[in-house]
């Protein structure tokens, strides 16, 4: 039985941040090369729940007989209010929200990376990404290789009773701005549709742009967090300081620094926008007025500036 190099228990693959960081570093290496660009297509299956590549777990002989009882004779019902539907036998898939479910699915799709011959395949949760790098002069050849691998992936999914959702599939080219402008009109046929490059795509909660400036991510993030802070500000008189801190930590800061290791190299202009969000949060908690200096409030709360947090 062939095993892949990484294990699902390895710390490098246990969260979205490490998965995105590895993919972004690979893209940046291509961008730093002389006329390199990268193409990404994200075919997604509705049930993928694991990081690839991973090893195929080897089940002990005493465990194997327990699998049929775990997977068979399971029923599901739908309840609305006090009404419950008739139980329906589950004939496919693994139990939702189960402990063994992700492990069993990981085992099931373990062979997917072996299908491709030209591209790199990365998966996390329900997202599968296919990458290939090519120079400007080899753009057409590179996309042809990508198309061939995508067909192989589609055939593999079909033979293994997995459905790729074309509505959640996007095609994106990463590169230097000048290189992207010099590219010809490119497109990829896949699942009966023609995919053209998008300028922005979202992956695991992070918004990517073609040149990896993360401007779109910062703009969207600050807009969402400012809206949340405005709602908290309207009712802050109903809560004490500790409650406000809990709300802001849960609703704002948990998102503010999400995957910051990936985008922390963005421009000072973007970091200033993040600092404005933090300043707004500090004013809410301490009651500092709009035109009062913010440094005393940050010192009182023990909050570091965004530039320090992102180091």
């Amino acid at each position: 039985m062939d095993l892949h190099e990484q294990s699902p228990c390895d710390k490098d693959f246990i969260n979205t941040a490490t998965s995105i960081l590895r993919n972004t570093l690979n893209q940046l290496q291509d961008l730093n090369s002389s006329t390199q660009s990268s193409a990404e297509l994200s075919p997604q299956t509705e049930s993928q729940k694991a990081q690839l590549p991973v090893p195929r777990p080897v089940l002990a002989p005493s465990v194997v007989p327990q699998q049929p009882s775990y997977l068979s004779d399971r029923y599901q019902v739908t309840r609305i209010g006090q009404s419950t539907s008739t139980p329906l036998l589950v004939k496919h898939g693994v139990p939702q929200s189960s402990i063994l479910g992700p492990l069993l699915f990981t085992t099931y799709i373990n062979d997917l990376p072996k299908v491709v011959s030209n591209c790199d395949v990365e998966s996390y949760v329900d997202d599968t990404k296919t990458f290939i790098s090519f120079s400007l002069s080899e753009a057409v050849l590179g996309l042809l290789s990508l198309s061939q691998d995508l067909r192989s992936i589609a055939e593999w999914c079909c033979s293994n009773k997995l459905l790729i959702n074309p509505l959640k599939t996007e095609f994106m080219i990463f590169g230097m701005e000048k290189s992207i402008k010099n590219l010809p009109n490119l497109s990829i046929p896949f699942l009966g549709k023609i995919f053209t490059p998008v300028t922005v795509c979202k992956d695991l909660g992070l918004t990517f742009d073609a040149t990896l400036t993360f401007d779109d991510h910062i703009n969207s993030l600050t807009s969402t967090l400012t809206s949340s802070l405005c709602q908290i500000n309207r009712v802050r008189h109903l809560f004490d300081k500790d409650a406000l801190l809990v709300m802001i930590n849960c609703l704002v800061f948990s998102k503010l620094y999400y995957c910051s290791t990936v985008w922390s190299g963005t421009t000072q202009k973007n970091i200033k926008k993040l600092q404005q969000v933090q300043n707004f949060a500090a004013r809410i908690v301490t009651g500092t007025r709009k035109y009062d200096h913010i440094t005393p409030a940050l010192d009182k709360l023990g909050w570091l500036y965004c530039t320090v947090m992102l180091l």
Side-chain angles (χ1 to χ4, degrees), residues 29-297:
Q29 288 177 353
D30 293 333
L31 292 182
N32 290 332
S33 301
S34 54
T35 51
Q36 289 284 325
S37 58
S38 174
E40 174 190 12
L41 189 70
S42 302
Q44 305 178 4
T45 62
E46 292 298 335
S47 54
Q48 290 187 353
K49 301 291 181 185
Q51 173 72 35
L52 292 178
V54 294
R56 184 185 297 277
V58 179
L59 300 178
S62 59
V63 177
V64 174
Q66 302 177 22
Q67 299 309 304
S69 62
Y70 179 78
L71 296 174
S72 60
D73 297 326
R74 286 186 171 270
Y75 293 82
Q76 66 180 14
V77 297
T78 300
R79 183 172 63 185
I80 301 178
Q82 301 299 321
S83 301
T84 303
S85 66
T86 303
L88 182 66
L89 179 65
V90 178
K91 299 180 180 180
H92 304 284
V94 294
Q96 295 294 313
S97 302
S98 62
I99 296 176
L100 276 180
L103 178 60
L104 292 173
F105 189 80
T106 299
T107 306
Y108 189 71
I109 64 171
N110 185 66
D111 295 333
L112 180 58
K114 298 180 181 180
V115 175
V116 300
S117 56
N118 304 301
C119 303
D120 295 324
V121 175
E122 296 288 345
S123 293
Y124 190 89
V125 192
D126 60 349
D127 297 309
T128 300
K129 293 167 284 293
T130 307
F131 298 93
I132 189 170
S133 298
F134 49 81
S135 62
L136 288 175
S137 59
E138 299 174 344
V140 176
L141 181 60
L143 291 190
L144 179 60
S145 299
L146 178 59
S147 298
Q148 293 173 348
D149 282 347
L150 289 174
R151 280 197 298 270
S152 299
I153 292 175
E155 292 172 357
W156 184 92
C157 289
C158 183
S159 63
N160 287 277
K161 297 181 174 61
L162 292 175
L163 178 65
I164 296 179
N165 190 346
L167 298 179
K168 294 183 178 180
T169 300
E170 291 181 319
F171 167 45
M172 188 169 189
I173 297 178
F174 296 96
M176 304 301 291
E177 185 175 0
K178 182 179 179 180
S179 299
I180 293 178
K181 289 182 178 180
N182 292 331
L183 283 172
N185 293 328
L186 302 175
S187 62
I188 291 183
F190 186 59
L191 298 177
K193 293 189 175 183
I194 302 297
F195 291 91
T196 56
V198 297
T199 57
V200 175
C201 71
K202 197 168 185 178
D203 180 31
L204 302 180
L206 200 63
T207 303
F208 288 84
D209 55 272
T211 55
L212 295 178
T213 62
F214 295 103
D215 290 345
D216 293 274
H217 176 73
I218 299 299
N219 290 335
S220 174
L221 178 65
T222 53
S223 176
T224 300
L225 297 185
T226 300
S227 177
S228 298
L229 287 172
C230 287
Q231 296 178 20
I232 295 174
N233 190 40
R234 295 190 188 100
V235 296
R236 67 177 181 178
H237 61 282
L238 301 176
F239 301 96
D240 58 18
K241 178 181 177 181
D242 291 337
L244 289 173
L245 285 172
V246 170
M247 285 190 291
I248 289 176
N249 283 328
C250 293
L251 301 177
V252 179
F253 288 156
S254 62
K255 300 177 182 178
L256 184 65
Y257 297 113
Y258 171 71
C259 288
S260 60
T261 51
V262 177
W263 51 260
S264 58
T266 187
T267 62
Q268 287 298 317
K269 179 181 178 181
N270 286 334
I271 294 179
K272 184 178 179 181
K273 294 178 181 178
L274 299 175
Q275 186 61 55
Q276 291 174 345
V277 172
Q278 187 189 53
N279 293 348
F280 188 11
R283 294 183 191 278
I284 293 175
V285 175
T286 61
T288 304
R289 292 179 298 181
K290 182 176 180 180
Y291 296 104
D292 290 344
H293 203 278
I294 195 61
T295 300

